[in-house]
Amino acid sequence: MTPTKLALLLLFALALAAGQVLFKAAAQSLKGHAGFDLQTLAQLLLNPYFLLSVAIYAANAILWVWLLRDTELNKAYLVVALALIFVPLAGTFFFQE
């Protein structure tokens, strides 16, 4: 695996973690009852944290397909699994969880 490919896989893992942090920020910023109704859906669809997280996930999906063109899945996923470490660390740092 080239250093560039490794760096892109690390970027992918960091972007996954960033998307999760933004989803949590979007959830915390919802006002009122947290039911699944049109008002909550409208709040979510207009939420900048949610919109940014969706954009990150969309870009990450494209990056993932591009990376998998010539990277073995079993090797790529070992690096991407770092997101499982990044997310709890980010939750502790940003949300004091």
Side-chain angles (χ1 to χ4, degrees):
M1 185 177 307
T2 67
T4 301
K5 186 76 60 162
L6 182 60
L8 287 171
L9 285 166
L10 285 171
L11 176 66
F12 180 86
L14 285 169
L16 279 177
Q20 289 298 312
V21 168
L22 289 166
F23 280 136
K24 173 71 173 182
Q28 287 187 331
S29 69
L30 293 177
K31 307 285 188 253
H33 176 68
F36 192 73
D37 54 23
L38 288 179
Q39 181 183 0
T40 305
L41 183 60
Q43 281 185 53
L44 189 60
L45 292 176
L46 297 173
N47 187 299
Y49 295 122
F50 179 75
L51 294 174
L52 183 56
S53 63
V54 169
I56 288 171
Y57 266 49
N60 234 17
I62 294 168
L63 176 60
W64 184 239
V65 170
W66 183 79
L67 285 167
L68 289 179
R69 286 180 349 155
D70 56 356
T71 306
E72 293 178 31
L73 182 61
N74 60 347
K75 290 183 178 150
Y77 225 80
L78 289 174
V79 178
V80 173
L82 289 172
L84 296 172
I85 296 168
F86 297 152
V87 172
L89 290 174
T92 301
F93 182 75
F94 291 111
F95 304 109
Q96 289 71 48
E97 295 180 337

Coordinates of all heavy atoms in Angstrom, one line a residue:
M1 N 0.9 -1.2 0.0 CA 0.0 0.0 0.0 C 0.9 1.2 0.0 O 1.8 1.4 0.8 CB -0.9 0.0 1.2 CG -1.9 1.1 1.3 SD -3.0 1.1 2.7 CE -3.7 -0.6 2.6
T2 N 0.6 2.1 -0.9 CA 1.4 3.3 -1.0 C 1.1 4.3 0.1 O 0.0 4.3 0.7 CB 1.2 4.0 -2.4 OG1 -0.1 4.6 -2.4 CG2 1.4 3.1 -3.5
P3 N 2.1 5.2 0.4 CA 1.8 6.2 1.4 C 0.6 7.1 1.1 O -0.2 7.5 2.0 CB 3.1 7.0 1.5 CG 4.1 6.1 1.0 CD 3.5 5.2 0.0
T4 N 0.4 7.4 -0.2 CA -0.7 8.2 -0.6 C -2.0 7.5 -0.3 O -3.0 8.1 0.2 CB -0.6 8.6 -2.1 OG1 0.6 9.3 -2.3 CG2 -1.8 9.4 -2.6
K5 N -2.1 6.2 -0.7 CA -3.3 5.4 -0.4 C -3.6 5.3 1.1 O -4.7 5.5 1.5 CB -3.1 4.0 -1.0 CG -4.3 3.1 -1.0 CD -5.3 3.5 -2.0 CE -4.7 3.4 -3.4 NZ -5.6 3.3 -4.5
L6 N -2.5 5.1 1.9 CA -2.7 5.0 3.3 C -3.2 6.4 3.8 O -4.1 6.4 4.7 CB -1.4 4.7 4.0 CG -1.4 4.5 5.5 CD1 -2.4 3.4 5.9 CD2 0.0 4.2 6.0
A7 N -2.7 7.5 3.3 CA -3.2 8.8 3.8 C -4.6 9.0 3.4 O -5.4 9.6 4.2 CB -2.3 9.9 3.2
L8 N -5.0 8.6 2.2 CA -6.4 8.7 1.8 C -7.4 7.8 2.6 O -8.5 8.2 3.0 CB -6.6 8.4 0.3 CG -6.0 9.5 -0.6 CD1 -6.0 9.0 -2.1 CD2 -6.8 10.8 -0.5
L9 N -6.9 6.7 3.0 CA -7.7 5.8 3.9 C -7.8 6.4 5.3 O -8.9 6.3 5.9 CB -7.1 4.4 4.0 CG -7.3 3.5 2.7 CD1 -6.3 2.3 2.8 CD2 -8.7 3.1 2.6
L10 N -6.8 7.0 5.8 CA -6.9 7.7 7.1 C -7.8 8.9 7.0 O -8.6 9.1 7.9 CB -5.5 8.2 7.5 CG -4.6 7.1 8.1 CD1 -3.2 7.6 8.3 CD2 -5.1 6.5 9.4
L11 N -7.8 9.6 5.9 CA -8.7 10.7 5.6 C -10.1 10.2 5.6 O -11.0 10.8 6.2 CB -8.3 11.4 4.3 CG -9.3 12.6 3.9 CD1 -9.2 13.7 4.9 CD2 -9.0 13.0 2.5
F12 N -10.3 9.1 5.0 CA -11.7 8.5 4.9 C -12.2 8.2 6.3 O -13.3 8.5 6.7 CB -11.6 7.2 4.1 CG -12.9 6.5 4.0 CD1 -13.9 6.9 3.0 CD2 -13.3 5.5 4.8 CE1 -15.1 6.2 2.9 CE2 -14.5 4.8 4.8 CZ -15.4 5.2 3.8
A13 N -11.3 7.6 7.2 CA -11.7 7.2 8.5 C -12.0 8.5 9.4 O -12.9 8.5 10.1 CB -10.6 6.4 9.2
L14 N -11.2 9.5 9.2 CA -11.4 10.8 9.9 C -12.7 11.4 9.4 O -13.5 12.0 10.2 CB -10.2 11.7 9.7 CG -9.0 11.4 10.5 CD1 -7.8 12.2 10.0 CD2 -9.2 11.6 12.0
A15 N -13.0 11.3 8.1 CA -14.3 11.9 7.6 C -15.5 11.1 8.2 O -16.5 11.7 8.5 CB -14.2 11.9 6.1
L16 N -15.3 9.8 8.3 CA -16.4 9.0 8.9 C -16.7 9.5 10.3 O -17.8 9.7 10.7 CB -16.1 7.5 8.9 CG -16.3 6.7 7.7 CD1 -15.8 5.3 7.9 CD2 -17.7 6.7 7.2
A17 N -15.6 9.7 11.1 CA -15.8 10.2 12.4 C -16.3 11.6 12.5 O -17.2 11.9 13.3 CB -14.4 10.1 13.1
A18 N -15.9 12.4 11.6 CA -16.4 13.8 11.6 C -17.9 13.8 11.2 O -18.7 14.5 11.8 CB -15.7 14.6 10.5
G19 N -18.3 12.9 10.3 CA -19.8 12.8 10.0 C -20.6 12.4 11.2 O -21.7 12.9 11.5
Q20 N -20.0 11.4 12.0 CA -20.7 11.0 13.2 C -20.9 12.1 14.2 O -21.9 12.2 14.8 CB -20.0 9.8 13.8 CG -20.2 8.5 13.0 CD -21.6 8.1 12.8 OE1 -22.4 8.0 13.8 NE2 -22.0 7.8 11.6
V21 N -19.8 12.8 14.4 CA -19.8 14.0 15.3 C -20.8 15.0 14.9 O -21.6 15.5 15.7 CB -18.4 14.6 15.5 CG1 -18.5 15.9 16.2 CG2 -17.5 13.6 16.2
L22 N -20.9 15.3 13.6 CA -21.9 16.2 13.1 C -23.3 15.7 13.2 O -24.2 16.5 13.5 CB -21.6 16.6 11.6 CG -20.3 17.4 11.5 CD1 -19.9 17.5 10.0 CD2 -20.6 18.9 12.0
F23 N -23.5 14.4 13.0 CA -24.8 13.8 13.3 C -25.3 14.0 14.7 O -26.4 14.4 15.0 CB -24.9 12.3 12.9 CG -25.0 12.0 11.4 CD1 -24.2 11.1 10.9 CD2 -25.9 12.7 10.6 CE1 -24.3 10.7 9.5 CE2 -26.0 12.4 9.3 CZ -25.3 11.4 8.7
K24 N -24.3 13.8 15.6 CA -24.6 14.0 17.0 C -25.0 15.5 17.3 O -25.9 15.8 18.1 CB -23.5 13.5 17.9 CG -23.6 13.8 19.4 CD -24.6 13.0 20.0 CE -24.5 13.2 21.5 NZ -25.5 12.3 22.3
A25 N -24.2 16.4 16.7 CA -24.5 17.8 16.9 C -25.8 18.2 16.4 O -26.6 19.0 17.0 CB -23.4 18.7 16.3
A26 N -26.2 17.6 15.2 CA -27.5 17.9 14.6 C -28.6 17.4 15.6 O -29.6 18.1 15.8 CB -27.6 17.2 13.3
A27 N -28.4 16.2 16.1 CA -29.4 15.6 17.0 C -29.6 16.5 18.3 O -30.7 16.7 18.7 CB -29.0 14.2 17.4
Q28 N -28.5 17.0 18.8 CA -28.6 17.8 20.0 C -29.2 19.2 19.7 O -29.7 19.8 20.7 CB -27.2 18.0 20.6 CG -26.7 16.7 21.3 CD -25.4 17.0 22.1 OE1 -24.6 17.8 21.7 NE2 -25.2 16.2 23.1
S29 N -29.1 19.6 18.5 CA -29.6 21.0 18.2 C -31.1 21.0 17.9 O -31.7 22.0 17.7 CB -28.9 21.6 17.1 OG -29.1 20.9 15.9
L30 N -31.8 19.8 17.8 CA -33.2 19.7 17.5 C -34.0 20.3 18.7 O -33.7 20.0 19.8 CB -33.6 18.3 17.2 CG -33.1 17.7 15.9 CD1 -33.5 16.2 15.8 CD2 -33.5 18.5 14.7
K31 N -35.0 21.1 18.4 CA -35.8 21.7 19.4 C -37.1 21.0 19.6 O -37.6 20.4 18.7 CB -36.1 23.2 19.0 CG -34.9 24.0 18.6 CD -34.1 24.4 19.9 CE -33.1 25.4 19.5 NZ -31.8 24.9 19.5
G32 N -37.6 21.0 20.9 CA -38.9 20.4 21.1 C -38.9 18.9 21.2 O -37.8 18.3 21.4
H33 N -40.1 18.4 21.1 CA -40.2 16.9 21.2 C -39.4 16.2 20.1 O -39.4 16.7 18.9 CB -41.7 16.6 21.0 CG -42.0 15.1 21.0 ND1 -41.8 14.3 22.1 CD2 -42.4 14.3 20.0 CE1 -42.1 13.1 21.8 NE2 -42.5 13.1 20.5
A34 N -38.7 15.2 20.4 CA -37.9 14.5 19.5 C -38.6 13.3 18.8 O -38.0 12.3 18.7 CB -36.6 14.0 20.2
G35 N -39.8 13.5 18.5 CA -40.5 12.4 17.8 C -40.2 12.4 16.3 O -39.5 13.3 15.8
F36 N -40.7 11.4 15.6 CA -40.6 11.4 14.2 C -41.8 11.9 13.5 O -42.8 11.2 13.2 CB -40.3 9.9 13.7 CG -39.9 9.8 12.3 CD1 -38.6 10.2 11.9 CD2 -40.7 9.4 11.3 CE1 -38.2 10.1 10.6 CE2 -40.3 9.3 10.0 CZ -39.1 9.7 9.7
D37 N -41.8 13.3 13.4 CA -42.9 14.0 12.8 C -42.4 15.0 11.8 O -41.2 15.1 11.6 CB -43.8 14.7 13.9 CG -43.0 15.6 14.8 OD1 -41.9 16.0 14.3 OD2 -43.4 15.9 15.9
L38 N -43.3 15.6 11.1 CA -42.9 16.5 10.0 C -42.1 17.7 10.6 O -41.2 18.2 9.9 CB -44.1 17.0 9.3 CG -44.8 16.0 8.4 CD1 -46.0 16.6 7.7 CD2 -43.8 15.5 7.3
Q39 N -42.4 18.2 11.7 CA -41.7 19.4 12.3 C -40.2 19.0 12.6 O -39.3 19.7 12.3 CB -42.4 19.8 13.6 CG -41.7 21.0 14.2 CD -42.3 21.5 15.5 OE1 -43.3 20.9 16.0 NE2 -41.8 22.5 16.1
T40 N -40.0 17.8 13.2 CA -38.7 17.4 13.5 C -37.9 17.1 12.2 O -36.8 17.4 12.1 CB -38.7 16.1 14.4 OG1 -39.5 16.4 15.5 CG2 -37.3 15.6 14.8
L41 N -38.6 16.5 11.2 CA -38.0 16.2 10.0 C -37.5 17.5 9.3 O -36.4 17.6 8.7 CB -38.9 15.4 9.1 CG -38.3 15.0 7.7 CD1 -37.1 14.1 7.9 CD2 -39.4 14.2 6.9
A42 N -38.4 18.5 9.3 CA -38.1 19.8 8.7 C -36.9 20.5 9.4 O -36.0 21.0 8.7 CB -39.3 20.7 8.8
Q43 N -36.9 20.4 10.7 CA -35.7 20.9 11.5 C -34.4 20.2 11.1 O -33.4 20.9 10.9 CB -35.9 20.7 13.0 CG -36.8 21.7 13.7 CD -36.8 21.4 15.2 OE1 -35.8 21.4 15.8 NE2 -38.0 21.2 15.7
L44 N -34.5 18.9 10.9 CA -33.3 18.1 10.6 C -32.9 18.5 9.2 O -31.7 18.7 8.9 CB -33.7 16.6 10.7 CG -32.5 15.7 10.6 CD1 -31.4 16.0 11.6 CD2 -33.0 14.3 10.6
L45 N -33.8 18.6 8.2 CA -33.4 18.8 6.8 C -32.8 20.2 6.6 O -32.1 20.5 5.6 CB -34.6 18.6 5.9 CG -35.0 17.1 5.8 CD1 -36.3 17.0 4.9 CD2 -33.9 16.2 5.3
L46 N -33.1 21.1 7.6 CA -32.6 22.5 7.5 C -31.4 22.7 8.4 O -30.9 23.8 8.5 CB -33.7 23.5 7.8 CG -34.9 23.5 6.8 CD1 -36.0 24.4 7.3 CD2 -34.4 23.9 5.4
N47 N -31.0 21.7 9.1 CA -30.0 21.8 10.1 C -28.6 21.8 9.4 O -28.3 20.9 8.7 CB -30.1 20.6 11.1 CG -29.1 20.7 12.2 OD1 -27.9 20.7 12.0 ND2 -29.7 20.7 13.4
P48 N -27.8 22.8 9.7 CA -26.5 22.9 9.0 C -25.5 21.7 9.4 O -24.8 21.3 8.5 CB -25.9 24.2 9.4 CG -26.7 24.7 10.5 CD -28.0 24.0 10.5
Y49 N -25.6 21.3 10.6 CA -24.8 20.1 11.0 C -25.2 18.9 10.2 O -24.3 18.1 9.8 CB -24.9 19.8 12.5 CG -24.4 20.9 13.4 CD1 -25.3 21.5 14.4 CD2 -23.1 21.4 13.4 CE1 -24.8 22.5 15.2 CE2 -22.7 22.4 14.2 CZ -23.5 22.9 15.1 OH -23.1 23.9 16.0
F50 N -26.5 18.7 10.1 CA -27.0 17.5 9.4 C -26.6 17.6 7.9 O -26.1 16.6 7.3 CB -28.5 17.4 9.5 CG -29.0 16.2 8.8 CD1 -28.9 14.9 9.2 CD2 -29.7 16.4 7.6 CE1 -29.4 13.8 8.5 CE2 -30.2 15.3 6.9 CZ -30.1 14.0 7.3
L51 N -26.8 18.8 7.3 CA -26.4 18.9 5.9 C -25.0 18.7 5.6 O -24.6 18.1 4.6 CB -26.9 20.3 5.4 CG -28.4 20.5 5.4 CD1 -28.7 22.0 5.1 CD2 -29.1 19.6 4.5
L52 N -24.1 19.3 6.5 CA -22.7 19.1 6.3 C -22.3 17.6 6.5 O -21.5 17.1 5.7 CB -21.9 19.9 7.3 CG -20.4 19.9 7.2 CD1 -19.9 20.3 5.8 CD2 -19.8 20.8 8.3
S53 N -22.9 16.9 7.4 CA -22.6 15.5 7.6 C -23.0 14.7 6.4 O -22.3 13.8 6.0 CB -23.2 14.9 8.9 OG -24.6 15.0 8.8
V54 N -24.2 15.0 5.8 CA -24.6 14.3 4.6 C -23.6 14.5 3.5 O -23.3 13.6 2.7 CB -26.1 14.7 4.3 CG1 -26.4 14.1 2.9 CG2 -27.0 14.1 5.3
A55 N -23.2 15.8 3.3 CA -22.2 16.1 2.3 C -20.9 15.3 2.5 O -20.3 14.8 1.5 CB -22.0 17.6 2.3
I56 N -20.5 15.3 3.7 CA -19.2 14.5 4.0 C -19.4 13.1 3.7 O -18.5 12.4 3.1 CB -18.8 14.7 5.5 CG1 -18.3 16.1 5.7 CG2 -17.8 13.7 5.9 CD1 -18.0 16.5 7.2
Y57 N -20.5 12.5 4.1 CA -20.8 11.1 3.8 C -20.9 10.8 2.3 O -20.5 9.8 1.8 CB -22.1 10.6 4.5 CG -21.8 10.0 5.8 CD1 -20.9 10.6 6.8 CD2 -22.3 8.7 6.2 CE1 -20.7 10.0 8.0 CE2 -22.0 8.1 7.4 CZ -21.2 8.8 8.3 OH -20.9 8.1 9.5
A58 N -21.5 11.7 1.5 CA -21.6 11.6 0.1 C -20.2 11.6 -0.6 O -19.9 10.7 -1.4 CB -22.5 12.7 -0.5
A59 N -19.4 12.6 -0.2 CA -18.0 12.6 -0.7 C -17.2 11.4 -0.3 O -16.5 10.9 -1.1 CB -17.4 13.9 -0.2
N60 N -17.5 11.0 1.0 CA -16.7 9.8 1.4 C -17.1 8.5 0.7 O -16.3 7.6 0.5 CB -17.0 9.6 2.9 CG -15.7 9.5 3.7 OD1 -14.7 9.9 3.3 ND2 -15.8 9.0 4.9
A61 N -18.4 8.4 0.3 CA -18.8 7.3 -0.5 C -18.1 7.2 -1.8 O -17.7 6.1 -2.3 CB -20.4 7.3 -0.7
I62 N -18.0 8.4 -2.4 CA -17.2 8.4 -3.7 C -15.8 8.1 -3.5 O -15.2 7.3 -4.3 CB -17.4 9.8 -4.3 CG1 -18.9 10.0 -4.7 CG2 -16.5 10.0 -5.5 CD1 -19.2 11.4 -5.1
L63 N -15.2 8.6 -2.4 CA -13.8 8.3 -2.1 C -13.6 6.8 -1.9 O -12.6 6.2 -2.3 CB -13.3 9.1 -0.9 CG -11.9 8.9 -0.4 CD1 -10.8 9.1 -1.5 CD2 -11.6 9.7 0.8
W64 N -14.5 6.2 -1.1 CA -14.4 4.8 -0.8 C -14.4 3.9 -2.1 O -13.6 3.0 -2.2 CB -15.6 4.4 0.1 CG -15.5 3.0 0.6 CD1 -16.5 2.1 0.5 CD2 -14.5 2.4 1.4 NE1 -16.2 0.9 1.1 CE2 -14.9 1.1 1.7 CE3 -13.3 2.8 1.9 CZ2 -14.2 0.2 2.4 CZ3 -12.5 1.9 2.7 CH2 -13.0 0.6 2.9
V65 N -15.3 4.2 -3.0 CA -15.4 3.4 -4.2 C -14.1 3.6 -5.0 O -13.5 2.6 -5.5 CB -16.6 3.9 -5.1 CG1 -16.6 3.3 -6.4 CG2 -17.9 3.5 -4.3
W66 N -13.6 4.8 -5.0 CA -12.3 5.1 -5.8 C -11.2 4.3 -5.1 O -10.4 3.7 -5.8 CB -12.1 6.6 -5.8 CG -10.8 7.0 -6.6 CD1 -10.7 7.0 -7.9 CD2 -9.6 7.2 -6.0 NE1 -9.4 7.4 -8.2 CE2 -8.7 7.5 -7.1 CE3 -9.1 7.3 -4.7 CZ2 -7.4 7.8 -6.9 CZ3 -7.7 7.6 -4.5 CH2 -6.9 7.9 -5.6
L67 N -11.1 4.3 -3.8 CA -10.1 3.6 -3.1 C -10.1 2.1 -3.3 O -9.1 1.5 -3.4 CB -10.1 3.9 -1.6 CG -9.6 5.3 -1.1 CD1 -10.0 5.6 0.3 CD2 -8.1 5.4 -1.3
L68 N -11.3 1.6 -3.3 CA -11.5 0.1 -3.5 C -11.2 -0.4 -4.9 O -11.1 -1.6 -5.1 CB -12.9 -0.3 -3.1 CG -13.2 -0.2 -1.6 CD1 -14.6 -0.7 -1.3 CD2 -12.2 -1.1 -0.8
R69 N -11.1 0.6 -5.8 CA -10.7 0.1 -7.2 C -9.5 -0.7 -7.2 O -9.4 -1.7 -8.0 CB -10.6 1.3 -8.1 CG -11.8 2.0 -8.5 CD -11.7 3.1 -9.4 NE -10.3 3.6 -9.6 CZ -9.8 4.2 -10.6 NH1 -10.6 4.5 -11.6 NH2 -8.5 4.6 -10.7
D70 N -8.5 -0.3 -6.5 CA -7.2 -1.0 -6.5 C -6.6 -1.3 -5.1 O -5.4 -1.4 -4.9 CB -6.2 -0.3 -7.4 CG -6.0 1.1 -7.0 OD1 -6.6 1.6 -6.0 OD2 -5.1 1.8 -7.6
T71 N -7.5 -1.4 -4.1 CA -7.1 -1.7 -2.8 C -7.9 -2.9 -2.3 O -9.1 -2.9 -2.5 CB -7.3 -0.5 -1.8 OG1 -6.6 0.6 -2.3 CG2 -6.7 -0.8 -0.4
E72 N -7.2 -3.9 -1.7 CA -7.9 -5.0 -1.2 C -8.8 -4.6 0.0 O -8.4 -3.8 0.9 CB -7.0 -6.1 -0.7 CG -6.2 -6.7 -1.9 CD -5.2 -7.7 -1.4 OE1 -5.5 -8.4 -0.3 OE2 -4.1 -7.9 -2.0
L73 N -10.1 -5.1 0.0 CA -11.0 -4.7 1.0 C -10.5 -5.0 2.4 O -10.6 -4.2 3.4 CB -12.4 -5.3 0.8 CG -13.5 -5.0 1.8 CD1 -13.8 -3.5 1.7 CD2 -14.7 -5.8 1.4
N74 N -9.9 -6.2 2.6 CA -9.5 -6.6 3.9 C -8.4 -5.7 4.4 O -8.3 -5.4 5.6 CB -9.0 -8.1 3.9 CG -7.9 -8.4 3.0 OD1 -7.5 -7.6 2.1 ND2 -7.3 -9.5 3.2
K75 N -7.5 -5.2 3.6 CA -6.5 -4.2 4.0 C -7.0 -2.8 4.2 O -6.6 -2.1 5.1 CB -5.3 -4.2 3.0 CG -4.6 -5.5 3.0 CD -3.4 -5.5 2.0 CE -2.7 -6.8 2.1 NZ -2.1 -7.2 0.9
A76 N -7.9 -2.4 3.3 CA -8.5 -1.1 3.5 C -9.3 -0.9 4.7 O -9.2 0.1 5.5 CB -9.3 -0.8 2.2
Y77 N -10.0 -2.0 5.1 CA -10.9 -1.9 6.2 C -10.1 -1.9 7.6 O -10.6 -1.4 8.6 CB -11.9 -3.1 6.2 CG -13.3 -2.6 6.6 CD1 -14.1 -1.9 5.6 CD2 -13.8 -2.7 7.9 CE1 -15.3 -1.5 5.9 CE2 -15.0 -2.2 8.2 CZ -15.8 -1.6 7.2 OH -17.0 -1.1 7.5
L78 N -8.9 -2.4 7.6 CA -8.1 -2.4 8.8 C -7.8 -0.9 9.1 O -7.7 -0.5 10.3 CB -6.8 -3.2 8.6 CG -6.9 -4.7 8.5 CD1 -5.6 -5.3 8.2 CD2 -7.5 -5.2 9.8
V79 N -7.5 -0.1 8.1 CA -7.2 1.3 8.3 C -8.5 2.1 8.7 O -8.6 2.9 9.6 CB -6.5 2.0 7.1 CG1 -6.3 3.4 7.3 CG2 -5.2 1.2 6.8
V80 N -9.6 1.8 8.0 CA -10.9 2.4 8.2 C -11.4 2.1 9.6 O -12.1 3.0 10.2 CB -11.9 2.1 7.1 CG1 -13.2 2.6 7.4 CG2 -11.4 2.6 5.8
A81 N -11.0 1.0 10.1 CA -11.5 0.6 11.5 C -11.0 1.6 12.5 O -11.5 1.6 13.7 CB -11.1 -0.8 11.8
L82 N -10.1 2.4 12.2 CA -9.6 3.5 13.1 C -10.8 4.4 13.5 O -10.7 5.1 14.5 CB -8.4 4.2 12.6 CG -7.1 3.5 12.5 CD1 -6.1 4.3 11.7 CD2 -6.6 3.2 13.9
A83 N -11.8 4.5 12.6 CA -12.9 5.4 12.9 C -13.6 4.9 14.2 O -14.2 5.7 14.9 CB -13.9 5.3 11.7
L84 N -13.5 3.6 14.5 CA -14.1 3.1 15.7 C -13.3 3.6 17.0 O -13.9 3.6 18.1 CB -14.1 1.6 15.7 CG -14.9 0.9 14.7 CD1 -14.6 -0.6 14.6 CD2 -16.4 1.2 14.9
I85 N -12.2 4.1 16.8 CA -11.4 4.7 17.9 C -11.6 6.3 17.9 O -11.8 6.9 18.9 CB -9.9 4.4 17.7 CG1 -9.7 2.9 17.9 CG2 -9.1 5.2 18.8 CD1 -8.3 2.5 17.6
F86 N -11.7 6.8 16.6 CA -11.8 8.3 16.5 C -13.2 8.8 17.0 O -13.2 9.8 17.7 CB -11.7 8.7 15.1 CG -10.3 8.5 14.4 CD1 -10.2 8.3 13.1 CD2 -9.2 8.4 15.2 CE1 -9.0 8.0 12.5 CE2 -7.9 8.2 14.6 CZ -7.8 8.0 13.3
V87 N -14.2 8.0 16.8 CA -15.6 8.5 17.2 C -15.7 8.6 18.7 O -16.1 9.7 19.2 CB -16.7 7.6 16.6 CG1 -18.0 8.0 17.2 CG2 -16.7 7.8 15.1
P88 N -15.4 7.6 19.5 CA -15.5 7.8 21.0 C -14.5 8.9 21.5 O -14.9 9.6 22.4 CB -15.0 6.4 21.5 CG -15.3 5.4 20.4 CD -15.0 6.2 19.1
L89 N -13.3 9.0 20.9 CA -12.5 10.1 21.3 C -13.1 11.4 21.0 O -13.1 12.4 21.9 CB -11.1 10.0 20.6 CG -10.2 8.8 21.1 CD1 -9.0 8.8 20.2 CD2 -9.9 9.0 22.5
A90 N -13.7 11.6 19.9 CA -14.4 12.8 19.5 C -15.6 13.1 20.4 O -15.8 14.2 20.8 CB -14.8 12.8 18.0
G91 N -16.3 12.0 20.8 CA -17.4 12.2 21.7 C -17.0 12.7 23.0 O -17.7 13.5 23.6
T92 N -15.9 12.2 23.5 CA -15.3 12.6 24.8 C -14.9 14.1 24.7 O -15.2 14.9 25.6 CB -14.1 11.7 25.2 OG1 -14.6 10.4 25.3 CG2 -13.5 12.2 26.5
F93 N -14.2 14.4 23.6 CA -13.6 15.8 23.5 C -14.7 16.8 23.2 O -14.8 17.9 23.9 CB -12.6 15.8 22.4 CG -12.0 17.1 22.2 CD1 -11.0 17.5 23.0 CD2 -12.3 17.9 21.1 CE1 -10.4 18.8 22.9 CE2 -11.7 19.1 20.9 CZ -10.8 19.6 21.8
F94 N -15.6 16.5 22.3 CA -16.6 17.5 21.9 C -17.9 17.6 22.7 O -18.5 18.6 22.9 CB -17.0 17.3 20.4 CG -15.9 17.7 19.4 CD1 -15.3 16.7 18.7 CD2 -15.5 19.0 19.3 CE1 -14.3 16.9 17.8 CE2 -14.5 19.3 18.4 CZ -13.9 18.2 17.7
F95 N -18.3 16.4 23.2 CA -19.5 16.3 24.0 C -19.4 16.0 25.4 O -20.4 15.8 26.1 CB -20.5 15.3 23.3 CG -20.7 15.7 21.8 CD1 -20.2 14.9 20.8 CD2 -21.5 16.8 21.5 CE1 -20.4 15.2 19.5 CE2 -21.7 17.1 20.1 CZ -21.2 16.3 19.1
Q96 N -18.2 15.8 25.9 CA -17.9 15.4 27.3 C -18.7 14.2 27.7 O -19.2 14.1 28.8 CB -18.2 16.6 28.3 CG -17.2 17.7 28.2 CD -17.4 18.6 26.9 OE1 -18.5 19.0 26.6 NE2 -16.3 18.9 26.2
E97 N -18.7 13.2 26.8 CA -19.4 12.0 27.1 C -18.5 11.0 27.7 O -17.3 10.9 27.5 CB -20.0 11.4 25.8 CG -21.0 12.3 25.1 CD -21.6 11.7 23.8 OE1 -20.9 10.9 23.2 OE2 -22.7 12.1 23.5

